[in-house]
Amino acid sequence: MLLQSGFDVALGLGLLWVAWQALNSSDLFKAIVFFIAFGLLMALAWVRMDAPDIALAEAAIGAGVTGALLLGALARLRASNAGETTMGQAGNGQRRFMASRRLLWIPLLLMAAGLGYAVLSLPGYTPGLSAQVAANLGASGVSNPVTAVLLNFRGYDTLLELVVLLLALLGMWSMAGPAPPPSAEAAAVLDGLSRFLTPLVLLVAAYLLWVGTRAPGGAFQAGSLLGAAGVLLILAGWRANVASTALSLRLVLTAGPGVFVAVAAFSLLMSGQMLKYPPAYAGILILIIEIAATLSIGLTLAGLFLGGRPRGERKSP
Amino acid sequence: MNAAVLYALVGVGLYSLGLYALIVHAHLVRKILAINVMGSGVFLVLVALARRGGEAGTDAVPQAMVITGIVVAVSATALALILVVKLAAETGYATLSGNRQE
C-alpha cells in the first residue's frame, strides 16, 4: 500500500516536471522529446487508474503519432527558418510582457486553487454509470465495457470522431499541396528495421482488434498501431504508388465512417432507432465496424504524417 | 487522500501549467504543445473522478470519452501543425503577427 502511494506521488510529480520541461525548454526539439516522454508517463498513469484501454491509445497516439507529427512539422519549419523560438531577441514589447509574466502567476494560481478545491470538495464515492453499463453489457454484443460504450452505447460519438479524423486529413490535403519527397535514402539500419517491424506491428494490430471485444484493445488501439507502421514506412522512404485521387485509397479512408453509417441505416430499418443494434447481431456488427474503422484510422494517421497529398507517380521499391 | 484524488489534482496542475505556457509563448508549435498538455490534464481529471466508484472499478463511459478525446486531439494537432507550416512558408515566422517584433 505504502509502496503504491509512493509510486503514485512520484509519477504525479514526474508528470508535472516533464510537462514543465516540454512547455518551457529553450530548444524546441528538446521540448518535443519531453512531450513524447510525457505521453509515455501518461500511459503509466492510465494503467495506475485501471484504464488499460486508454493507456494503449495514449502510448500509440498521444506519445507516438503526435510526437512523430510534431517532429515532422519541426523539420519543415526549420527548412523555412521558423523552427526556433524568438525568446532570445526580445523587443521592447516583449520585455514589458516578460515583466507582466510574474503578475500572470496570481490569476493562474487562484484558478488552480479553485479547481483543486472543486476536486477535493466532491463526494468520495460515486458509482457513476458503471451499474448501467454492467446491466446492459449482455445485450451489447461484446464483453469489454469500454468497447461496448465506444461502439454500442455511445456509438454516435465514435461515428462523429471518425468523421473528425477524416476532416483533419481533408483539411491537410487541401492546404498542404503535394507531399514532400522522401528526404534522402534511408539508412540501411532503418530500412532493415522497418522490414522486420512492419509485419510484427500488423500482427499485434490484428490481435488488438480481435481481443478488443472482451479485453483491453479495439479499433482505436489497432488503428493507431497501423498508423505507426505507416509512419515507420514513410520514414524509411517507402511510398505507396497511389495518388490522392485513387479510388482504392479513398475507399479505405472512408471505409470506417461509411460502414458505420451503413450499419446505422441498417439498425434504423431493423429496430427503428439509429445505432440501436438488434442484440442478436450486435457482436458481428461491432466487429464489422471495428475492422473498417481500424483500416481507416491507420491509413488516415499515416496520411497525416505524410504531410501532403500522396502523389502516386513514385515507384515503390 | 486516495490515488484518484491525487491524480485529479495532478490533472489540475497540468491544466494550469499548460494554460500558463499557452499565454506566455509566442511560437505556435509551443502553443500547440501547451493545448495538448491542457487536454491531458482534463482527461486525467475526468478519469480520476470516474475512479471513485470503488469496487466497481473505473467507470467505462468516461474512459470511452477520453479515448475519443485522444483521437480528436491528434486530429486537431495535425491540422494545426500544417497551418503553422503553411504560415511559416508564407511569412517566414511561426508566430502570429501581433506577437512579432519587426
Side-chain angles (χ1 to χ4, degrees):
Chain A
M1 195 62 210
L2 187 67
L3 192 67
Q4 281 183 354
S5 339
F7 181 78
D8 286 334
V9 170
L11 183 57
L13 292 177
L15 273 170
L16 290 169
W17 181 77
V18 173
W20 176 256
Q21 293 294 323
L23 294 169
N24 295 297
S25 289
S26 53
D27 179 24
L28 197 48
F29 176 75
K30 196 172 152 194
I32 293 173
V33 172
F34 266 109
F35 180 76
I36 296 171
F38 172 74
L40 293 174
L41 283 187
M42 279 297 289
L44 267 184
W46 295 127
V47 173
R48 284 294 298 139
M49 274 182 289
D50 281 340
D53 294 89
I54 310 180
L56 286 168
E58 177 84 45
I61 302 186
V65 178
T66 308
L69 286 170
L70 284 163
L71 289 175
L74 180 65
R76 292 175 76 177
L77 285 177
R78 286 199 167 152
S80 52
N81 285 323
E84 294 309 318
T85 51
T86 46
M87 274 178 176
Q89 20 175 323
N92 228 352
Q94 192 77 7
R95 238 173 268 133
R96 232 180 301 132
F97 179 65
M98 301 280 255
S100 62
R101 264 191 198 189
R102 285 193 197 101
L103 292 177
L104 183 62
W105 276 111
I106 299 168
L108 278 178
L109 274 179
L110 284 175
M111 183 201 72
L115 287 174
Y117 175 73
V119 165
L120 288 173
S121 64
L122 287 169
Y125 175 80
T126 38
L129 294 170
S130 300
Q132 277 104 312
V133 171
N136 292 300
L137 200 57
S140 73
V142 290
S143 56
N144 174 8
V146 178
T147 304
V149 174
L150 270 176
L151 285 143
N152 197 334
F153 306 150
R154 293 188 68 91
Y156 198 59
D157 290 358
T158 309
L159 169 60
L160 291 180
E161 168 193 2
L162 291 174
V163 177
V164 166
L165 199 57
L166 189 62
L167 272 180
L169 186 73
L170 289 183
M172 196 204 62
W173 277 8
S174 21
M175 275 186 289
S183 51
E185 279 295 299
V189 175
L190 179 61
D191 189 58
L193 186 71
S194 71
R195 280 160 205 265
F196 275 119
L197 274 182
T198 307
L200 192 67
V201 171
L202 292 183
L203 192 67
V204 175
Y207 169 75
L208 277 180
L209 174 63
W210 181 249
V211 84
T213 54
R214 56 184 188 278
F220 292 104
Q221 293 82 355
S224 45
L225 269 182
L226 284 189
V231 168
L232 191 65
L233 287 175
I234 290 170
L235 281 177
W238 187 85
R239 295 289 185 276
N241 190 17
V242 280
S244 58
T245 48
L247 183 66
S248 56
L249 180 66
R250 296 190 165 191
L251 274 181
V252 180
L253 284 176
T254 52
V259 167
F260 218 139
V261 168
V263 169
F266 172 73
S267 58
L268 190 63
L269 289 176
M270 292 288 287
S271 59
Q273 232 176 324
M274 211 173 92
L275 291 172
K276 186 183 177 199
Y277 318 132
Y281 300 106
I284 186 73
L285 287 178
I286 288 178
L287 192 63
I288 292 171
I289 296 172
E290 283 205 296
I291 290 171
T294 302
L295 294 175
S296 295
I297 293 168
L299 196 61
T300 310
L301 289 175
L304 286 173
F305 180 71
L306 192 57
R309 286 195 297 273
R311 298 191 233 206
E313 75 271 278
R314 200 168 299 278
K315 285 273 173 281
S316 50
Chain B
M1 187 162 75
N2 58 14
V5 176
L6 173 78
Y7 281 110
L9 290 178
V10 170
V12 169
L14 290 176
Y15 180 86
S16 310
L17 287 180
L19 187 60
Y20 171 77
L22 180 69
I23 296 171
V24 302
H25 290 304
H27 198 284
L28 289 172
V29 174
R30 287 179 185 276
K31 285 190 190 284
I32 294 173
L33 280 175
I35 290 174
N36 270 293
V37 171
M38 287 171 75
S40 295
V42 173
F43 296 154
L44 208 50
V45 172
L46 192 58
V47 176
L49 295 184
R51 184 94 181 77
R52 292 172 302 155
E55 293 307 306
T58 309
D59 191 350
V61 177
Q63 286 194 56
M65 286 163 78
V66 167
I67 291 180
T68 308
I70 288 174
V71 177
V72 172
V74 75
S75 309
T77 303
L79 197 59
L81 283 172
I82 205 74
L83 279 169
V84 177
V85 167
K86 291 304 280 182
L87 180 79
E90 293 286 325
T91 65
Y93 294 97
T95 53
L96 296 178
S97 55
N99 288 328
R100 226 177 265 155
Q101 276 76 48
E102 303 295 342

